[in-house]
Amino acid sequence: MACCTLTAGAVLLFLFLNVRQNNADGPDTSEHYLVESFKCINNTCIASKIVSAEKKNSGIDGSVDVCRLTCGSYGSLWPRPTIKTAIEKSVIEFSVDNIKFDTSSVADQLGKEYMTEVSQVFISSLKKLCIPNCVSYDNTPIISISTSTPFGYIKLTTNESYNLKISTEGNQIFVKIEAITVYGARNGLETVRQLIATYGSNASGKKLVIAGNVQISDQPIFAYRGFMLDTSRHYFPISTIKKQIDAMGHSKLNVFHWHATDTHSFPLDLPSAPQMAKYGAYSHEEKYSYKDIKDLLRYALVRGVRIVMEIDSPAHAGNGWQWSKASGYGEMALCVDKGPWRKYCVQPPCGQLNPINTNTYKWLGKIYKDLISAFPKGEAFHMGGDEVNLKIKNPIQLQMLFYMLLKIGCYKLLELYS
């Protein structure tokens, strides 16, 4: 095998030197280069070297992304479809400006409006592939989308399955997506996005191609496919969170668990409880407005992602609550930032809600009411419940702490984590 490799390398070097010698003898003084060419061999895209007059192979075989589209049983699809996948080897060029969407078979008007927004995200993603520009083609992709149920907000029981068929006839590319819900249709369109790649170069112009003959039936194995981000211990700008949600949409993850508050900070600027962010955010700039929260909910929904927000309590509650005593509400949080921390909490900084102060419940109610008003009706809400400090000497406080946990539905979590 090593001998064959050395022989092939020697032949390639001889051909390369011979081309250069011929150029020296004749009028052609152009330089030649060894460039990569990709070919699917045994379900893997393998690179080889070929002689070219260009420094980079701008042909279709010069793109590993195009090779991967149809290489192997699943091409470049992720996650892999679970029911049926058939991808033939053909690809066809097209122009993003020629794409047409047909949503006439989407079940209702709200569903049509949702799919229009999803389509805009799809087109925006393709245009990013074309930076700085793509070559224009007459081929026209027609993407037909149908659903059978009215629009509803995504939840744990939402059907996200879809069927996808791509075929070509002349200069037309037919893409047909059938789904029960708009979220299944969105997943189908995301799969179409994964079946598109570019080849060429900035100098010669990039070319968009799509797999030309595809049949896929797919549904997720897990209903809850989540990612958690902690914005209490470390603040992330909204723009960064949106990038994470973009990545989730591309990977068909559907739950963004937003661990919004903890003892470290309370960055939510809520209309009914502005004091929480005023005293709890790391700075005036490092907080999320009520408008930010609503905007992020819509942004995520269009990418097939639910947001489940967590307001950690009754433990893990400190910074953001420390203003209450000076404002006449008594101590609504105990042991905030106290030390040595091992005496007062499981991890620093310390703090947990005061169960015998009735104002604690009133202000929790204000926080919950604001968030419930912003989120879709019936959406899940996470209340934390872990790592409560039970080393409380006051028996009334201990009794009320159990009452608080029962009141907010965290008693089972107390049994698990304390």
Side-chain angles (χ1 to χ4, degrees), residues 331-332 334 353-361 392 394-401 403-404:
E331 284 188 304
M332 292 195 290
L334 304 171
L353 297 181
N354 184 356
I356 64 173
N357 185 344
T358 56
N359 288 315
T360 304
Y361 302 94
I392 297 175
N394 186 329
I396 297 176
Q397 280 191 339
L398 183 59
Q399 183 179 356
M400 288 300 294
L401 178 60
Y403 170 74
M404 174 181 276

Side-chain angles (χ1 to χ4, degrees), residues 92-297:
I92 183 170
E93 289 88 355
F94 71 97
S95 298
V96 65
D97 294 333
N98 289 351
I99 296 176
K100 296 179 180 179
F101 288 93
D102 178 7
T103 59
S104 60
S105 296
V106 174
D108 64 346
Q109 185 57 35
L110 283 176
K112 288 180 172 69
E113 292 172 6
Y114 177 85
M115 289 312 304
T116 296
E117 290 188 61
V118 171
S119 301
Q120 290 168 354
V121 173
F122 174 80
I123 294 295
S124 176
S125 177
L126 294 188
K127 287 183 175 179
K128 289 178 182 177
L129 290 179
C130 282
I131 294 173
N133 67 288
C134 273
V135 175
S136 180
Y137 288 92
D138 292 333
N139 298 334
T140 302
I142 301 171
I143 302 177
S144 303
I145 301 170
S146 65
T147 62
S148 57
T149 58
F151 176 84
Y153 286 101
I154 188 170
K155 53 188 178 181
L156 192 63
T157 56
T158 296
N159 187 307
E160 296 182 71
S161 65
Y162 65 91
N163 294 311
L164 168 65
K165 182 178 180 180
I166 302 176
S167 59
T168 60
E169 185 177 322
N171 67 344
Q172 289 191 317
I173 304 165
F174 298 100
V175 179
K176 186 176 182 180
I177 299 171
E178 296 177 336
I180 294 173
T181 69
V182 291
Y183 304 103
R186 193 218 72 87
N187 287 343
L189 195 58
E190 190 59 57
T191 296
V192 175
R193 166 62 186 86
Q194 294 181 14
L195 291 165
I196 295 170
T198 62
Y199 72 93
S201 63
N202 292 347
S204 63
K206 293 182 178 180
K207 290 97 174 172
L208 276 173
V209 298
I210 184 171
N213 200 326
V214 176
Q215 289 194 55
I216 291 173
S217 294
D218 187 21
Q219 66 180 20
I221 296 175
F222 301 104
Y224 192 110
R225 307 180 302 281
F227 175 89
M228 188 188 81
L229 187 68
D230 185 338
T231 60
S232 173
R233 291 175 174 85
H234 185 91
Y235 175 83
F236 293 89
I238 286 291
S239 59
T240 301
I241 297 176
K242 285 183 175 180
K243 287 179 182 178
Q244 180 59 50
I245 291 173
D246 287 340
M248 292 178 68
H250 290 316
S251 303
K252 301 190 180 88
L253 298 179
N254 66 349
V255 181
F256 178 73
H257 181 134
W258 189 356
H259 185 84
T261 72
D262 210 294
T263 46
H264 306 72
S265 74
F266 195 110
L268 305 180
D269 191 3
L270 303 175
S272 298
Q275 300 94 326
M276 304 302 296
K278 180 179 179 180
Y279 291 90
Y282 288 123
S283 71
H284 179 72
E285 291 76 26
E286 294 172 295
K287 59 186 180 181
Y288 307 103
S289 70
Y290 202 49
K291 182 180 180 301
D292 288 335
I293 296 169
K294 289 183 174 181
D295 176 63
L296 200 61
L297 285 165

Side-chain angles (χ1 to χ4, degrees), residues 83 111 235 355 375-376:
I83 301 174
Y235 175 83
F375 279 71

